[in-house]
Amino acid sequence: GDSVTQMEGPVTLSEEAFLTINCTYTATGYPSLFWYVQYPGEGLQLLLKATKADDKGSNKGFEATYRKETTSFHLEKGSVQVSDSAVYFCALSTGNQFYFGTGTSLTVIP
Amino acid sequence: ETGVTQTPRHLVMGMTNKKSLKCEQHLGHNAMYWYKQSAKKPLELMFVYNFKEQTENNSVPSRFSPECPNSSHLFLHLHTLQPEDSALYLCASSQAQGAGGNQPQHFGDGTRLSIL
């Protein structure tokens, strides 16, 4: 069945460090891929998305490229800030349902 | 600021109580979802409604009863819950998904439910 696997956390980085959160997927069709972010006490917010192979989603300095050959959608940011501390979820949708990863907690320290 | 509003934000109830969670979306979407989020577990899809019709029930126990009177409102009626039902319940909405599922879901801030 369709599924998403993302790297285990928690991840702790110093401010201005480079961030990578790995996400790989399994899907029978041609899914759309998403990254969501959840701040403490809030729901999930859409961070970025890509709907076809080689698309790059980007928002607020975060980027992810839809790689069909490696079935991956890794999240990257060149220089993290304390305000980026949150839980990040990778997700895919083939139209019938959304499948979410287990989430990766990121803490950025000054 | 979210276009999906959930009330109440927090709810404490005994196992014999009956309560309801409410979700309202102001985004003009026609699909709505209930999810359960528990610590250290993946997000669990509970129910899906498309154009007010239930299209997905992920083997949810009957003590959870959803209601969707129109495309903007979604309720989750609770009765005789168990301690393991304590969790964050998230509502989401989207445009109805076509092939490829490229419509993102928009989430509310959730109701934190505690069962005594």
Side-chain angles (χ1 to χ4, degrees):
Chain A
D2 297 347
S3 66
V4 169
T5 302
Q6 64 181 104
M7 64 185 283
E8 295 278 337
V11 174
T12 302
L13 294 174
S14 296
E15 205 164 23
E16 299 183 3
F18 185 86
L19 169 71
T20 300
I21 300 178
N22 289 340
C23 172
T24 57
Y25 68 89
T26 302
T28 52
Y30 300 93
S32 294
L33 301 173
F34 305 84
W35 275 101
Y36 282 83
V37 58
Q38 185 176 31
Y39 298 102
E42 298 183 12
L44 279 68
Q45 299 176 27
L46 178 67
L47 183 59
L48 52 85
K49 72 173 188 177
T51 58
K52 61 183 187 298
D54 301 324
D55 267 2
K56 177 186 282 188
S58 61
N59 185 26
K60 299 181 182 178
F62 291 89
E63 293 183 340
T65 301
Y66 188 163
R67 302 278 189 207
K68 192 175 176 195
E69 63 276 12
T70 54
T71 61
S72 65
F73 193 55
H74 304 321
L75 182 68
E76 296 181 338
K77 186 174 185 181
S79 176
V80 294
Q81 306 300 312
V82 172
S83 57
D84 294 326
S85 298
V87 180
Y88 292 81
F89 293 87
C90 185
L92 74 81
S93 174
T94 56
N96 293 325
Q97 210 174 110
F98 263 67
Y99 298 88
F100 287 87
T102 51
T104 301
S105 175
L106 170 66
T107 300
V108 180
I109 54 178
Chain B
E1 187 173 334
T2 179
V4 180
T5 304
Q6 290 187 244
T7 54
R9 291 297 310 276
H10 302 273
L11 178 62
V12 179
M13 57 187 286
M15 289 191 286
T16 57
N17 292 156
K18 290 184 180 181
K19 296 285 185 183
S20 296
L21 309 185
K22 179 182 176 182
C23 176
E24 183 174 1
Q25 60 95 1
H26 310 275
L27 300 169
H29 291 159
N30 41 42
M32 296 188 78
Y33 312 79
W34 279 118
Y35 287 89
K36 177 183 179 182
Q37 187 177 34
S38 305
K40 302 189 191 305
K41 292 178 70 175
L43 208 59
E44 298 175 52
L45 178 66
M46 300 175 72
F47 301 103
V48 180
Y49 279 82
N50 281 283
F51 298 96
K52 304 187 299 178
E53 299 297 320
Q54 188 180 125
T55 55
E56 192 85 28
N57 176 339
N58 255 5
S59 303
V60 180
S62 59
R63 58 186 183 269
F64 295 91
S65 174
E67 178 190 2
C68 188
N70 54 60
S71 292
S72 299
H73 293 86
L74 184 64
F75 296 89
L76 188 62
H77 304 300
L78 316 171
H79 64 98
T80 58
L81 295 192
Q82 304 300 309
E84 62 266 27
D85 297 324
S86 297
L88 181 68
Y89 288 83
L90 292 166
C91 173
S93 70
S94 75
Q95 295 294 351
Q97 300 292 346
N102 59 8
Q103 300 297 327
Q105 294 186 1
H106 297 257
F107 286 80
D109 286 338
T111 295
R112 174 68 63 185
L113 177 64
S114 299
I115 306 301
L116 300 179

